[in-house]
Amino acid sequence: MQKMKTCSEIRHENLLKVIEEAGSLQVVADRLDKSHAQISQLKTQAKHSGTGKPRVIGDDMARLIEEKFQLEIGWMDNPHGPQEDRPIPLQPSSSWPFKISPLRLRVLNEEDLNEINIVIRTLVETRERDSKVKSNIASA
């Protein structure tokens, strides 16, 4: 018989997923307005100096993670298996059309971002120009 996981174990696994999707522990810490050390202690389940017990994600922290990463309330408390091959919804899908989390873009430098902007702007302008040409041909 397979051992049932505790809520603390599930929350820990989900924190690891959030960190992976965000791209780094520091990105998560910044988004939660917490220190790198605090999130690192949750990630490694470091023992509390006073009690000797591993640090766990409490209700308040679980809800904060869900809020800041736009996850459904209770997401941190439920297991999410490997069959769920979808990115954690870090932005509403209607406002972020790309398949990569916007948080992961933080690894790019200014030059990379400028290049991406040039490509997007060029593509949009080309499509707009093509659309105008088609419209002018149709009305002629």
Side-chain angles (χ1 to χ4, degrees), residues 24 54 58 77 106 122:
S24 78
D77 303 333
R106 290 186 178 184
T122 302

Side-chain angles (χ1 to χ4, degrees), residues 4-119:
M4 297 285 289
K5 291 182 180 176
T6 66
C7 190
S8 291
E9 291 169 327
I10 292 168
R11 286 177 176 174
H12 180 256
E13 287 178 2
N14 289 336
L15 174 66
L16 298 179
K17 288 177 195 253
V18 169
I19 292 169
E20 181 180 348
E21 183 65 25
S24 78
L25 191 143
Q26 187 61 55
V27 170
V28 173
D30 291 345
R31 186 77 171 257
L32 299 176
D33 199 25
K34 303 291 179 188
S35 71
H36 183 279
Q38 190 174 2
I39 303 306
S40 178
Q41 289 170 345
L42 292 173
K43 178 185 177 191
T44 63
Q45 298 177 313
K47 292 189 178 180
H48 192 281
S49 60
T51 65
K53 293 182 180 180
R55 294 181 191 270
V56 295
I57 299 167
D59 291 342
D60 291 343
M61 179 62 80
R63 299 300 80 85
L64 179 66
I65 293 168
E66 292 162 352
E67 176 190 341
K68 295 296 185 177
F69 285 92
Q70 299 174 341
L71 299 165
E72 186 177 339
I73 293 174
W75 188 92
M76 287 294 294
D77 303 333
N78 291 282
H80 305 282
Q83 71 278 10
E84 294 185 45
D85 192 24
R86 60 171 175 65
I88 294 170
L90 299 175
Q91 293 287 334
S93 60
S94 62
S95 67
W96 186 256
F98 305 105
K99 294 187 182 196
I100 187 168
S101 159
L103 292 176
R104 294 187 61 200
L105 297 180
R106 290 186 178 184
V107 299
L108 301 177
N109 63 34
E110 192 172 335
E111 186 178 325
D112 295 333
L113 294 173
N114 286 337
E115 256 184 81
I116 291 168
N117 279 317
I118 290 169
V119 169

Side-chain angles (χ1 to χ4, degrees), residues 121-138:
R121 187 179 65 243
T122 302
L123 184 58
V124 167
E125 289 170 353
T126 300
R127 295 293 180 255
E128 288 171 342
R129 194 171 39 254
D130 291 349
S131 176
K132 266 187 182 174
V133 168
K134 286 180 186 177
S135 177
N136 289 341
I137 291 172

